[in-house]
Amino acid sequence: MPKKVVLAYSGGLDTSIIIPWLKENYGGCEVIAMIGDLGQREDLEAANKKALATGASASYIEDLREEFVTGYIWPTLRAGAVYEHKYLLGTSFARPLLAKRQVELAKKVGADALAHGCTGKGNDQVRFELAAKALGPELTIIAPWREWKISSREEAIAYAQSHNIPVEQTKKNIYSRDRNVWHLSHEGGVLEDPVNAPEEAMWQWVTSPAKAPDQPATVEIGFEQGTPVSVNGKKLAPLALLEQLNDVAAANGVGRMDIVENRLVGIKSRGAYETPGGTLLVAAHRELESLCLDRETAHYQQILSLRYAEMVYYGMWFTPLRESLDAFFTHAQRRVTGSVTLSLFKGNVNVASRQSPYSLYRTNLASFSMAGYNPKDAEGFINLFALPITVPPEAAPR
């Protein structure tokens, strides 16, 4: 039986009740809480005190914000990875980083087990545990939601109340949320029925488009080799850049999204996401690529982008294939340098300008002028291109 357990701790409903549960069900084992700071804008010191007050022998706050942006968000952005057309992977690429630091801390303090608060029906259990198996296969993994008799969030709230553990969730505010510097997700409550529209009170970050300013806002985003480096011509550190874009997008109602998605475990689920700055970055990056990538690379990259998004969503971050795809995208992005200006208005994002010193766009070729282009060449090209559809097939054998 494990003697010392490092718990990935947030201070939310699930992880709050796990500390006493572990001690009750694992022979009074020592529980150490690890709180990852991913820019969630929560009172982490309060979570730290709460962990200690509910039975943790120690609690660590780990500042992972810069590593999160540069090591996880930027590579996924360069890959153009979006899951099922809409989801910008805000929870998906956060979990491997949390698990990585959890394993590092376990080795540092001499723990023999890891624990997490992921449900047995979700994706996060896979993401945490694949990372743990890749980086610390010798560590035992404890997943309380797959062991205890608690079967709903209402029962989890009742357990917390019976152990005098304060939690924010109530039967009226039942949403499960995950926030970091990239996004804020919402699940549960009325969202569990796809017929229901999200409640306006559910949204916590992005301004309602109806209440956004009546005048458009413009923002210029600069990139170097596919990586964001500036806003409105000013070079910024990665975290500061993302936070500035979050502010301007959220204020203009940009970044709300509602999706029915296919979980890795085979269940369709419904979630709502707020990804303000990320929405701008994905749009700007895609537009800059349209200038700088040749057709064959751009089209092949779309295939690999889909695979990259699946791997991130499935928790396959620490794998040889994901690292190999990174090498491809790093090379393909060498000339994705320049800037894109976006116009934001009441939840909408439009492209106002694109420019790059490596642009492959040529006005003389794109215009209606025939200067520098011989239209007669097109006739032979069309004839050859049409051969497969003009040569009649042989009659099928009897």
Side-chain angles (χ1 to χ4, degrees), residues 332-363:
Q333 296 284 301
R334 288 177 304 156
R335 293 182 176 85
V336 183
T337 295
S339 64
V340 174
T341 300
L342 302 173
S343 175
L344 321 181
F345 183 63
K346 291 189 176 296
N348 296 302
V349 180
N350 293 303
V351 179
S353 173
R354 319 160 183 82
Q355 55 184 330
S356 168
Y358 301 105
S359 173
L360 298 177
Y361 188 96
R362 297 293 180 269
T363 303

Side-chain angles (χ1 to χ4, degrees), residues 215-221 231-232 248 252 280 340-345 350 352:
Q215 297 298 321
T218 59
V219 59
E220 180 190 46
I221 305 174
V231 175
N232 296 329
V248 67
N252 285 276
L280 301 185
V340 174
T341 300
L342 302 173
S343 175
L344 321 181
F345 183 63
N350 293 303

Side-chain angles (χ1 to χ4, degrees), residues 58-72:
S59 181
Y60 296 84
I61 298 175
E62 303 289 318
D63 188 349
L64 306 175
R65 293 173 297 171
E66 286 289 348
E67 183 179 0
F68 182 43
V69 176
T70 60
Y72 294 77

Side-chain angles (χ1 to χ4, degrees), residues 194-336:
V195 170
N196 297 326
E199 300 170 317
E200 183 59 35
M202 178 201 72
W203 304 105
Q204 297 187 344
W205 194 358
V206 174
T207 298
S208 168
K211 297 180 180 179
D214 293 329
Q215 297 298 321
T218 59
V219 59
E220 180 190 46
I221 305 174
F223 294 82
E224 290 181 3
Q225 298 186 2
T227 299
V229 294
S230 67
V231 175
N232 296 329
K234 181 180 179 181
K235 290 287 184 75
L236 293 170
L239 182 60
L241 182 148
L242 180 52
E243 288 177 334
Q244 183 167 332
L245 292 178
N246 280 335
D247 290 343
V248 67
N252 285 276
V254 172
R256 291 184 178 186
M257 190 270 288
D258 178 359
I259 182 176
V260 174
E261 66 196 64
N262 288 293
R263 288 181 181 171
L264 172 59
V265 297
I267 299 170
K268 285 189 182 291
S269 66
R270 199 286 189 81
Y273 299 93
E274 300 181 72
T275 318
T279 299
L280 301 185
L281 285 167
V282 169
H285 180 256
R286 188 174 290 161
E287 290 300 324
L288 188 58
E289 284 186 322
S290 71
L291 280 185
C292 302
L293 293 182
D294 65 278
R295 182 184 68 191
E296 298 307 312
T297 300
H299 288 186
Y300 192 69
Q301 184 172 289
Q302 290 177 16
I303 300 171
L304 297 187
S305 294
L306 175 62
R307 184 69 180 117
Y308 198 103
E310 287 178 339
M311 295 192 73
V312 175
Y313 189 84
Y314 297 166
M316 301 173 66
W317 188 270
F318 299 108
T319 60
L321 178 55
R322 204 276 309 166
E323 293 170 354
S324 297
L325 290 178
D326 264 351
F328 167 83
F329 285 111
T330 296
H331 186 84
Q333 296 284 301
R334 288 177 304 156
R335 293 182 176 85
V336 183

